[in-house]
Amino acid sequence: MTALTLSNVCKSFGQVEVLKNIDLTVEENEFVVFVGPSGCGKSTLLRVIAGLEDATSGTVEIDGERVNDTPPAKRGIAMVFQSYALYPHLTVRGNMALGLKQARHPKSEIDRRITEASRMLSLKPYLERRPAELSGGQRQRVAIGRAIVRNPKLFLFDEPLSNLDAALRLNTRVEIANLHRQISASMIYVTHDQTEAMTLADKIVVLRDGRVEQIGSPMELYNNPANRFVAEFIGSPAMNFVPGDMIGGSTNTVVGIRPEYAQLGATGPLSGTVVHVENLGADTNVLVNIGTDKPFTVRAFGQHDVSPGSEVGINFEAGNTLTFGTDGLRL
Ligand code: ADP
Ligand code: MG
């Protein structure tokens, strides 16, 4: 059964249209990521799904039922925010129990659910601590635990890892993926980080300026982007774009070449001066000024002795390029 269906959802704040004709389905147990630049409407869309904002027009259906007029608490969802929003005077156990106590669940049931959630999130040793006695990562796990104990059909995460440092972000990302494998529930996860989107999602929804640009699996978006925006947003380092006539194509086209599909050589169809080298150990990003507005990035596997100032050629296979019209659409 389809867990969530959005049909022609629009949202305006006063005169400002923030969401424009959003159509979208989330299947049962699916992990869907909304990704896009800051300000594109991701949080607003999540809040419309949660019922924290009303859609200006269009319908929101959960489990096949229209919920536009259903209050948040009755939608069978749980939301996890970037700011953990824990009660500082309550212990971890108290924070997780609060919603269940308010819903008058029996104590034995509350204890059972907290035991299960704290096992999944490795929080057992911390159950009697207060939030101030926890690290940021642990606090976010408590916020996730508080969502789990409510047994929602649909989890909504709004940039839950943004306040964590890089190592914790990676750990917590893996935990969220594991959690999804253990719990049968649909998840919608908002991020501006394409790596999080690529690593977590069954299905990615790319948003830009309140509109859906493309919906697809991570590999569909990587291999087959519908337009230049998606091509540039998905993949890191970002795709290079070269005017078609620089490489024997039409003047009215732009050719996209991913850094990992380009190789350095003595000569090549493109050439220029190395302006910067990023030695990452496992691979090397070489930025080459080829006379366009942005340096061309070549991602070379392994370690390479290349210095800024050297003249290099760039090679690539025609089969590994994508062509776009000047309007940005794929040709
Ligand atoms: P994102 O989460 O993708 O960064 P948001 O959904 O928070 O973006 O915001 C999308 C746009 O809507 C922004 O331009 C923001 O300023 C505007 N916006 C969000 N909430 C409100 C509000 N309550 N009133 C007016 N404008 C808002
Ligand atoms: Mg946001």
Side-chain angles (χ1 to χ4, degrees), residues 170-209:
L170 179 70
N171 282 342
T172 315
R173 194 169 89 204
V174 172
E175 275 171 16
I176 290 175
N178 281 334
L179 190 67
H180 180 239
R181 274 190 283 273
Q182 293 179 61
I183 298 181
S184 43
S186 312
M187 296 189 174
I188 301 179
Y189 185 104
V190 161
T191 180
H192 62 273
D193 178 348
Q194 68 89 33
T195 307
E196 273 178 30
M198 294 295 272
T199 52
L200 285 169
D202 296 317
K203 182 159 95 186
I204 297 177
V205 179
V206 182
L207 293 165
R208 176 197 194 185
D209 199 14

Side-chain angles (χ1 to χ4, degrees), residues 10-209:
C10 299
K11 174 69 184 172
S12 301
F13 292 108
Q15 297 295 314
V16 187
E17 279 183 73
V18 172
L19 298 175
K20 300 159 189 166
N21 309 94
I22 307 278
D23 286 314
L24 173 68
T25 57
V26 175
E27 301 305 326
E28 215 163 282
N29 293 339
E30 200 172 26
F31 198 125
V32 175
V33 176
F34 296 169
V35 72
S38 182
C40 70
K42 304 180 294 295
S43 294
T44 304
L45 185 55
L46 212 59
R47 291 170 61 79
V48 166
I49 295 167
L52 300 171
E53 301 281 358
D54 288 329
T56 306
S57 62
T59 51
V60 180
E61 285 173 48
I62 294 179
D63 274 348
E65 244 179 76
R66 186 180 185 279
V67 294
N68 287 54
D69 306 312
T70 307
K74 297 250 163 73
R75 292 191 183 194
I77 48 151
M79 196 156 169
V80 177
F81 300 93
Q82 174 182 343
S83 66
Y84 324 116
L86 300 176
Y87 290 100
H89 60 288
L90 294 179
T91 61
V92 168
R93 181 188 296 282
N95 269 283
M96 287 208 243
L98 190 62
L100 299 179
K101 280 187 181 161
Q102 285 166 348
R104 299 179 186 276
H105 286 276
K107 182 170 185 315
S108 58
E109 174 66 12
I110 296 176
D111 287 345
R112 192 189 64 73
R113 290 196 195 181
I114 290 177
T115 303
E116 173 68 6
S118 54
R119 182 192 59 75
M120 279 192 247
L121 294 163
S122 313
L123 281 171
K124 274 194 176 160
Y126 311 107
L127 281 173
E128 308 313 325
R129 290 201 196 173
R130 287 178 213 285
E133 300 165 314
L134 301 174
S135 70
Q138 290 163 343
R139 282 179 214 171
Q140 191 52 285
R141 295 216 299 275
V142 177
I144 296 170
R146 189 176 48 183
I148 292 174
V149 296
R150 296 182 46 204
N151 244 340
K153 289 172 289 187
L154 179 60
F155 283 85
L156 307 178
F157 293 95
D158 194 353
E159 310 231 14
L161 309 186
S162 298
N163 284 352
L164 308 180
D165 65 41
L168 260 177
R169 264 209 303 277
L170 179 70
N171 282 342
T172 315
R173 194 169 89 204
V174 172
E175 275 171 16
I176 290 175
N178 281 334
L179 190 67
H180 180 239
R181 274 190 283 273
Q182 293 179 61
I183 298 181
S184 43
S186 312
M187 296 189 174
I188 301 179
Y189 185 104
V190 161
T191 180
H192 62 273
D193 178 348
Q194 68 89 33
T195 307
E196 273 178 30
M198 294 295 272
T199 52
L200 285 169
D202 296 317
K203 182 159 95 186
I204 297 177
V205 179
V206 182
L207 293 165
R208 176 197 194 185
D209 199 14

